[in-house]
Amino acid sequence: MTATDPAPSALAQGWYALSLLHGKIETHLERVLGTDHGLSAREYSLLDVLSRQHNGDGGHLQMKQVADAVVLSQSATTRLVTRLEDRGLLSRYLCPTDRRGIYTNVTDAGMELLEVARPAHDTALRAALAEAARDARLEPLVRAVQSLPTRVVVAA
Protein backbone atom coordinates (compact mmCIF):
# COMPACT_ATOMS: atom_id res chain seq x y z
CA MET A 1 0.00 0.00 0.00
CA THR A 2 1.38 3.42 -0.88
CA ALA A 3 0.67 6.81 0.64
CA THR A 4 -1.68 7.60 -2.25
CA ASP A 5 -3.79 4.45 -1.88
CA PRO A 6 -7.14 5.17 -0.27
CA ALA A 7 -7.64 3.90 3.27
CA PRO A 8 -10.18 1.11 3.65
CA SER A 9 -13.69 2.35 4.35
CA ALA A 10 -15.05 2.22 7.88
CA LEU A 11 -17.23 -0.68 6.79
CA ALA A 12 -14.23 -2.56 5.41
CA GLN A 13 -12.21 -1.85 8.57
CA GLY A 14 -15.06 -3.20 10.68
CA TRP A 15 -15.19 -6.33 8.56
CA TYR A 16 -11.42 -6.80 8.92
CA ALA A 17 -11.71 -6.43 12.69
CA LEU A 18 -14.56 -8.96 12.81
CA SER A 19 -12.53 -11.40 10.70
CA LEU A 20 -9.53 -10.90 12.97
CA LEU A 21 -11.62 -11.56 16.09
CA HIS A 22 -13.14 -14.69 14.55
CA GLY A 23 -9.72 -15.97 13.54
CA LYS A 24 -8.24 -15.42 16.99
CA ILE A 25 -11.15 -17.17 18.70
CA GLU A 26 -11.19 -20.09 16.28
CA THR A 27 -7.42 -20.59 16.56
CA HIS A 28 -7.67 -20.70 20.35
CA LEU A 29 -10.65 -23.11 20.24
CA GLU A 30 -8.88 -25.36 17.70
CA ARG A 31 -5.83 -25.61 19.94
CA VAL A 32 -7.76 -26.41 23.13
CA LEU A 33 -10.37 -28.74 21.63
CA GLY A 34 -7.86 -30.53 19.42
CA THR A 35 -5.28 -31.05 22.15
CA ASP A 36 -7.66 -31.94 24.97
CA HIS A 37 -10.52 -33.69 23.15
CA GLY A 38 -9.47 -34.62 19.60
CA LEU A 39 -12.10 -32.32 18.09
CA SER A 40 -11.87 -29.43 15.68
CA ALA A 41 -13.92 -26.32 16.40
CA ARG A 42 -16.25 -27.25 13.51
CA GLU A 43 -16.68 -30.80 14.82
CA TYR A 44 -17.53 -29.46 18.26
CA SER A 45 -19.96 -26.98 16.75
CA LEU A 46 -21.70 -29.69 14.71
CA LEU A 47 -22.04 -31.99 17.72
CA ASP A 48 -23.36 -29.09 19.79
CA VAL A 49 -25.95 -28.04 17.19
CA LEU A 50 -27.15 -31.61 16.62
CA SER A 51 -27.32 -32.30 20.36
CA ARG A 52 -29.87 -29.51 20.72
CA GLN A 53 -32.41 -30.90 18.26
CA HIS A 54 -35.29 -32.85 19.74
CA ASN A 55 -37.45 -35.82 18.82
CA GLY A 56 -40.94 -35.35 17.42
CA ASP A 57 -42.42 -33.30 14.60
CA GLY A 58 -40.00 -30.66 13.40
CA GLY A 59 -37.40 -31.85 15.88
CA HIS A 60 -34.69 -32.86 13.46
CA LEU A 61 -32.74 -30.29 11.53
CA GLN A 62 -32.44 -30.44 7.78
CA MET A 63 -28.90 -30.54 6.41
CA LYS A 64 -29.26 -26.94 5.16
CA GLN A 65 -30.15 -25.79 8.67
CA VAL A 66 -27.19 -27.67 10.10
CA ALA A 67 -24.88 -26.22 7.42
CA ASP A 68 -26.10 -22.69 8.19
CA ALA A 69 -25.60 -23.23 11.92
CA VAL A 70 -22.01 -24.42 11.56
CA VAL A 71 -21.26 -21.92 8.76
CA LEU A 72 -20.28 -24.47 6.13
CA SER A 73 -21.56 -25.41 2.71
CA GLN A 74 -23.94 -28.36 2.56
CA SER A 75 -21.30 -30.54 0.92
CA ALA A 76 -18.69 -29.64 3.56
CA THR A 77 -21.26 -30.33 6.29
CA THR A 78 -22.02 -33.73 4.76
CA ARG A 79 -18.29 -34.57 4.73
CA LEU A 80 -18.01 -33.45 8.36
CA VAL A 81 -21.02 -35.59 9.33
CA THR A 82 -19.42 -38.55 7.56
CA ARG A 83 -16.12 -38.09 9.44
CA LEU A 84 -17.92 -37.93 12.78
CA GLU A 85 -20.10 -40.89 11.84
CA ASP A 86 -16.95 -42.88 10.98
CA ARG A 87 -15.67 -42.07 14.49
CA GLY A 88 -18.92 -43.32 16.03
CA LEU A 89 -19.96 -39.86 17.26
CA LEU A 90 -22.96 -39.43 14.93
CA SER A 91 -25.46 -41.76 13.29
CA ARG A 92 -27.74 -41.26 10.31
CA TYR A 93 -31.06 -42.89 9.50
CA LEU A 94 -33.91 -42.40 7.06
CA CYS A 95 -36.82 -40.22 8.05
CA PRO A 96 -39.70 -42.60 8.86
CA THR A 97 -42.28 -40.40 7.09
CA ASP A 98 -40.23 -39.27 4.08
CA ARG A 99 -37.75 -41.82 2.77
CA ARG A 100 -35.85 -39.03 0.99
CA GLY A 101 -34.97 -37.33 4.27
CA ILE A 102 -32.00 -38.36 6.36
CA TYR A 103 -31.74 -37.56 10.05
CA THR A 104 -28.48 -37.19 11.93
CA ASN A 105 -28.26 -37.86 15.65
CA VAL A 106 -25.46 -37.62 18.15
CA THR A 107 -24.60 -41.08 19.49
CA ASP A 108 -24.09 -41.83 23.17
CA ALA A 109 -20.31 -41.68 22.57
CA GLY A 110 -20.75 -38.30 20.85
CA MET A 111 -22.84 -36.97 23.73
CA GLU A 112 -20.25 -38.14 26.26
CA LEU A 113 -17.43 -36.44 24.33
CA LEU A 114 -19.50 -33.28 23.92
CA GLU A 115 -20.30 -33.12 27.64
CA VAL A 116 -16.63 -33.51 28.51
CA ALA A 117 -15.53 -30.95 25.88
CA ARG A 118 -18.22 -28.33 26.60
CA PRO A 119 -16.58 -26.83 29.73
CA ALA A 120 -13.21 -26.68 27.95
CA HIS A 121 -14.85 -24.99 24.96
CA ASP A 122 -16.56 -22.41 27.14
CA THR A 123 -13.38 -21.72 29.14
CA ALA A 124 -11.34 -21.40 25.93
CA LEU A 125 -13.95 -19.06 24.45
CA ARG A 126 -13.89 -16.81 27.52
CA ALA A 127 -10.07 -16.79 27.47
CA ALA A 128 -9.95 -15.94 23.75
CA LEU A 129 -12.43 -13.08 24.22
CA ALA A 130 -10.52 -11.75 27.24
CA GLU A 131 -7.30 -11.77 25.24
CA ALA A 132 -8.98 -10.10 22.25
CA ALA A 133 -10.48 -7.41 24.52
CA ARG A 134 -6.95 -6.21 25.29
CA ASP A 135 -6.60 -5.20 21.62
CA ALA A 136 -8.14 -1.74 21.15
CA ARG A 137 -9.24 -2.68 17.61
CA LEU A 138 -11.20 -5.67 18.87
CA GLU A 139 -12.46 -4.50 22.27
CA PRO A 140 -15.70 -2.96 20.90
CA LEU A 141 -16.50 -6.20 19.08
CA VAL A 142 -15.83 -8.26 22.19
CA ARG A 143 -18.24 -6.03 24.13
CA ALA A 144 -20.82 -6.49 21.37
CA VAL A 145 -20.45 -10.28 21.46
CA GLN A 146 -20.72 -10.31 25.24
CA SER A 147 -23.89 -8.20 25.13
CA LEU A 148 -25.78 -10.49 22.74
CA PRO A 149 -28.94 -12.11 24.09
CA THR A 150 -28.29 -15.41 25.85
CA ARG A 151 -30.75 -17.27 23.62
CA VAL A 152 -29.73 -16.76 20.03
CA VAL A 153 -31.43 -19.25 17.70
CA VAL A 154 -28.67 -20.83 15.64
CA ALA A 155 -30.69 -22.93 13.21
CA ALA A 156 -34.10 -21.87 12.02
Side-chain angles (χ1 to χ4, degrees):
M1 188 188 257
T2 65
T4 59
D5 289 336
S9 68
L11 184 60
Q13 288 178 28
W15 173 244
Y16 299 149
L18 183 59
S19 296
L20 179 61
L21 177 61
H22 178 268
K24 285 181 175 290
I25 291 170
E26 191 160 54
T27 297
H28 193 79
L29 291 175
E30 287 287 341
R31 187 172 46 252
V32 169
L33 291 172
T35 300
D36 297 348
H37 303 288
L39 287 171
S40 71
R42 297 282 185 193
E43 290 169 338
Y44 174 89
S45 180
L46 179 65
L47 287 172
D48 186 54
V49 165
L50 290 174
S51 75
R52 296 175 194 283
Q53 65 186 355
H54 58 83
N55 292 326
D57 291 340
H60 282 82
L61 301 173
Q62 297 173 353
M63 195 54 71
K64 178 173 180 2
Q65 292 171 304
V66 174
D68 289 347
V70 296
V71 194
L72 289 173
S73 68
Q74 285 187 23
S75 61
T77 302
T78 299
R79 288 190 301 274
L80 184 57
V81 165
T82 299
R83 282 198 312 271
L84 291 176
E85 185 179 34
D86 290 347
R87 290 174 56 191
L89 302 175
L90 295 178
S91 64
R92 286 187 265 199
Y93 64 94
L94 291 176
C95 170
T97 58
D98 180 357
R99 305 295 283 172
R100 296 169 297 174
I102 298 175
Y103 288 159
T104 304
N105 280 332
V106 181
T107 64
D108 289 342
M111 286 300 289
E112 288 174 20
L113 179 57
L114 181 62
E115 291 307 313
V116 170
R118 194 171 270 143
H121 173 272
D122 293 348
T123 298
L125 182 56
R126 280 191 294 279
L129 286 168
E131 181 182 320
R134 291 191 288 273
D135 184 329
R137 301 168 300 171
L138 302 179
E139 190 273 335
L141 288 172
V142 171
R143 274 189 290 123
V145 167
Q146 292 171 333
S147 70
L148 289 172
T150 56
R151 296 297 272 161
V152 175
V153 177
V154 192

